[in-house]
Amino acid sequence: MSQPNILLLGPPGAGKGTQSSNIVEEYGVDHVTTGDALRSNKGMDISDLDVEYDTPGGFMDAGELVPDEVVNEIVKTALQEADGYVLDGYPRNLDQAKYLDEITELDVVALLEVPREELVERLTGRRICDECGTNYHVEFSPPEEAGVCDKCGGELIQRDDDTEETVRERLNVFDENTQPVIDHYDIRDELVRIDGEGAPDEVWEELHAAIEDEV
Ligand code: AMP
């Protein structure tokens, strides 16, 4: 068969980025992530939409969702160009899920489940290499030298939206908007629940087995 189309759901900090990398390596699919796409376009002028902020960055720094018009377009283009993909960070509300139904067919929908306090701890301690994007955690996976990437020597930074206040807002937004998305797939019996609390390798073992069952 052609390459699988995989949707990875889960709250911020559940490990979607890490597990997406595993999927890319195993299946050779594209990683489509709205968060990264929007971060590269934080300053884009969206003033013609007449919404709360004039750029995606305004919404992001407040922990709010960027308007569907902007995000849907990014996803549509990326999926059209992909031969198999792992989609991460989208859909985040029911309207996006319905839009996704119209533009593609999914082979696997997996949900990474992690308790909230663990998510807060993971996100506020997260540091990312400014050069190559590798993730670290100040406590759980620190670099050899504080503030410096082990892989490329780049500077480790904290994402603007990984402060405690914004993290809590992002998790509230997830509960409010994305729970209906989870239900949307669950009702159709398409959802596979994965315990995301363990070490990344353990989570991958369970996720990989679940994908193999479906494709
Ligand atoms: P993430 O890296 O997935 O945590 O996304 C960071 C921020 O980008 C979110 O807090 C939102 O402001 C925005 N964002 C990412 N994906 C979406 C989406 N599907 N819909 C709306 N906003 C999004």
Side-chain angles (χ1 to χ4, degrees):
M1 71 175 261
S2 57
Q3 299 298 76
N5 295 340
I6 298 170
L7 173 60
L8 206 48
L9 294 172
K16 298 189 298 299
T18 304
Q19 297 305 332
S20 292
S21 302
N22 288 330
I23 291 173
V24 168
E25 202 172 305
E26 179 77 15
Y27 296 100
V29 294
D30 282 6
H31 184 198
V32 178
T33 165
T34 45
D36 283 355
L38 289 167
R39 267 184 290 283
S40 312
N41 291 284
K42 264 186 117 170
M44 189 169 85
D45 181 5
I46 55 169
S47 56
D48 55 330
L49 294 180
D50 210 13
V51 285
E52 198 179 351
Y53 302 99
D54 287 342
T55 62
F59 292 89
M60 296 166 82
D61 290 344
E64 295 172 26
L65 294 184
V66 175
D68 290 350
E69 293 96 309
V70 178
V71 188
N72 288 350
E73 201 51 42
I74 291 175
V75 170
K76 187 177 181 188
T77 307
L79 297 193
Q80 273 169 350
E81 287 168 0
D83 174 21
Y85 57 79
V86 51
L87 178 58
D88 135 33
Y90 180 101
R92 269 197 162 74
N93 61 33
L94 197 52
D95 283 340
Q96 292 181 6
K98 288 179 178 165
Y99 181 76
L100 187 63
D101 282 343
E102 286 170 24
I103 60 169
T104 193
E105 216 159 284
L106 297 166
D107 298 305
V108 184
V109 183
L111 170 66
L112 296 179
E113 297 185 298
V114 178
R116 166 163 304 221
E117 283 314 308
E118 164 95 18
L119 294 171
V120 173
E121 212 174 343
R122 283 187 187 182
L123 287 166
T124 53
R126 179 162 73 174
R127 299 293 181 271
I128 296 170
C129 175
D130 203 20
E131 297 287 325
C132 72
T134 301
N135 272 329
Y136 295 86
H137 190 282
V138 287
E139 203 180 317
F140 308 139
S141 66
E144 273 170 31
E145 188 185 335
V148 181
C149 180
D150 293 346
K151 286 194 185 157
C152 75
E155 185 191 354
L156 302 188
I157 54 162
Q158 182 175 39
R159 260 171 58 170
D160 293 341
D161 59 354
D162 278 346
T163 57
E164 177 150 359
E165 191 191 349
T166 309
V167 161
R168 292 202 181 270
E169 176 59 18
R170 286 161 67 203
L171 293 173
N172 289 339
V173 166
F174 177 85
D175 285 346
E176 207 171 292
N177 296 275
T178 314
Q179 189 56 46
V181 173
I182 294 168
D183 296 341
H184 177 75
Y185 296 108
D186 209 7
I187 288 165
R188 302 195 309 205
D189 223 6
E190 291 174 359
L191 190 73
V192 187
R193 292 174 188 272
I194 306 289
D195 177 2
E197 208 184 343
D201 285 354
E202 290 164 10
V203 177
W204 171 235
E205 204 175 309
E206 192 183 334
L207 177 61
H208 184 221
I211 295 170
E212 287 295 304
D213 269 353
E214 304 283 329
V215 297

